[in-house]
């Protein structure tokens, strides 16, 4: 158990819909990362937040957005969902930018029908 | 494109040392080498990281060549539970907006009984 929690574990929805994935980092960690893992793409870095501020941006689509709240939990919002958005979504957290070993959560499996 | 190159798969007999290579010939002076592994579809698990010196922890050893263009992860006594996909990544410790984290396809390690 890494100490990072993600909800929900599974999510099934339809094309065109919007969903929100939630991540709670380890106690004391200030930085949160989001990743997408689909069968044909491997693990793709989406975005990083540090202490509420966006830090680095990867291959995140414009239909996706994220934020980190004052209590440091983070949410990833996916809208106008397409079949190709079906994937595992992982959140990771780290202590700080200077101790940036990432600890991953168990993931949310999103299925878009 | 991944900054690292790893063999797609490797076999190792149970109880033997598993040596997983990684090439990172374009690594920058401020980039660290990190190793993670992913068992089935679980969240990736941090193993070890280093900058230029060899490192050892309770899970593994990391050997980095003097020119830092390649490294080897060593699992000293592999068990069946070490069967996983192993990812080698290079990244700066403190990410700026333009930095990315790129996971390649990793090495699928099979531990044989």
């Amino acid at each position: 158990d890494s100490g990072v929690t993600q909800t929900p574990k599974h999510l099934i929805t339809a094309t065109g819909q919007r969903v929100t994935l939630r991540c709670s980092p380890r106690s004391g960690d200030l930085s949160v990362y989001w990743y997408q893992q689909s069968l044909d793409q491997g693990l793709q870095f989406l975005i990083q937040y540090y202490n509420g501020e966006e830090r680095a941006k990867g291959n995140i689509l414009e239909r996706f957005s994220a934020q980190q709240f004052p209590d440091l939990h983070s949410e990833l919002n996916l809208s106008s969902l397409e079949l190709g958005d079906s994937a595992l979504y992982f959140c990771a957290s780290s202590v700080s930018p200077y101790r940036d070993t990432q600890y991953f959560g168990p993931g949310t499996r999103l299925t878009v029908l | 494109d991944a900054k690292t190159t790893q063999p797609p798969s490797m076999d190792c007999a149970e109880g033997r040392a598993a040596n997983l290579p990684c090439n990172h010939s374009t690594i920058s002076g401020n980039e660290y080498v990190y190793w993670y592994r992913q068992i089935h579809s679980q969240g990736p698990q941090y193993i070890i990281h280093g900058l230029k010196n060899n490192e050892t922890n309770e899970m593994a050893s990391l050997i980095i060549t003097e020119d830092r263009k390649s490294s080897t992860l060593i699992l000293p006594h592999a068990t069946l539970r070490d069967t996983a996909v192993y990812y080698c990544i290079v990244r700066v410790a403190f990410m700026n907006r333009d930095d990315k984290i790129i996971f390649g396809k990793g090495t699928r390690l099979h531990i044989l009984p």
Side-chain angles (χ1 to χ4, degrees):
Chain A
D1 184 359
S2 67
V4 178
T5 60
Q6 291 187 247
T7 57
K9 279 189 175 180
H10 301 278
L11 196 50
I12 301 174
T13 188
T15 55
Q17 294 299 304
R18 172 189 170 94
V19 297
T20 297
L21 312 184
R22 182 188 169 101
C23 169
S24 294
R26 295 187 321 158
S27 177
D29 284 3
L30 300 177
S31 192
V32 169
Y33 304 74
W34 285 98
Y35 291 84
Q36 179 192 56
Q37 187 174 39
S38 52
L39 279 175
D40 57 348
Q41 291 287 334
L43 203 62
Q44 299 284 318
F45 167 65
L46 296 179
I47 198 163
Q48 179 201 12
Y49 280 82
Y50 170 63
N51 207 18
E53 299 289 327
E54 182 183 304
R55 188 73 209 171
K57 216 166 186 177
N59 302 319
I60 188 166
L61 300 174
E62 286 191 12
R63 299 184 286 109
F64 297 179
S65 64
Q67 55 184 324
Q68 186 179 27
F69 294 87
D71 67 353
L72 300 176
H73 91 273
S74 179
E75 292 181 355
L76 179 67
N77 300 296
L78 315 176
S79 61
S80 303
L81 284 168
E82 302 175 358
L83 296 178
D85 297 328
S86 295
L88 272 167
Y89 290 85
F90 290 106
C91 165
S93 71
S94 64
V95 172
S96 76
Y98 297 104
R99 292 184 62 190
D100 226 7
T101 297
Q102 296 174 65
Y103 295 89
F104 284 78
T108 292
R109 182 175 293 279
L110 174 66
T111 302
V112 182
L113 302 175
Chain B
D1 293 334
K3 295 182 181 180
T4 61
T5 304
Q6 300 177 252
S9 67
M10 292 182 63
D11 293 337
C12 179
E14 190 177 17
R16 304 296 293 269
N19 295 277
L20 291 88
C22 179
N23 286 321
H24 31 79
S25 58
T26 60
I27 192 170
S28 301
N30 63 345
E31 287 182 315
Y32 287 73
V33 179
Y34 279 80
W35 283 84
Y36 289 83
R37 72 181 182 184
Q38 187 175 24
I39 298 171
H40 298 301
S41 296
Q42 298 176 21
Q45 177 189 23
Y46 165 78
I47 301 173
I48 199 167
H49 76 283
L51 183 62
K52 52 185 177 181
N53 297 322
N54 297 338
E55 302 287 344
T56 295
N57 63 20
E58 65 279 2
M59 287 184 68
S61 295
L62 174 61
I63 308 298
I64 303 174
T65 58
E66 196 168 339
D67 63 8
R68 302 207 326 121
K69 292 185 177 182
S70 65
S71 61
T72 300
L73 177 74
I74 301 172
L75 308 178
H77 305 287
T79 71
L80 296 177
R81 288 177 296 180
D82 293 321
T83 293
V85 177
Y86 287 76
Y87 296 99
C88 164
I89 66 170
V90 295
R91 54 159 296 183
V92 295
F94 184 38
M95 290 179 64
N96 293 310
R97 176 161 289 277
D98 295 328
D99 289 320
K100 302 284 188 285
I101 301 174
I102 303 175
F103 280 76
K105 295 191 181 298
T107 295
R108 188 171 295 275
L109 177 65
H110 300 276
I111 304 300
L112 307 175

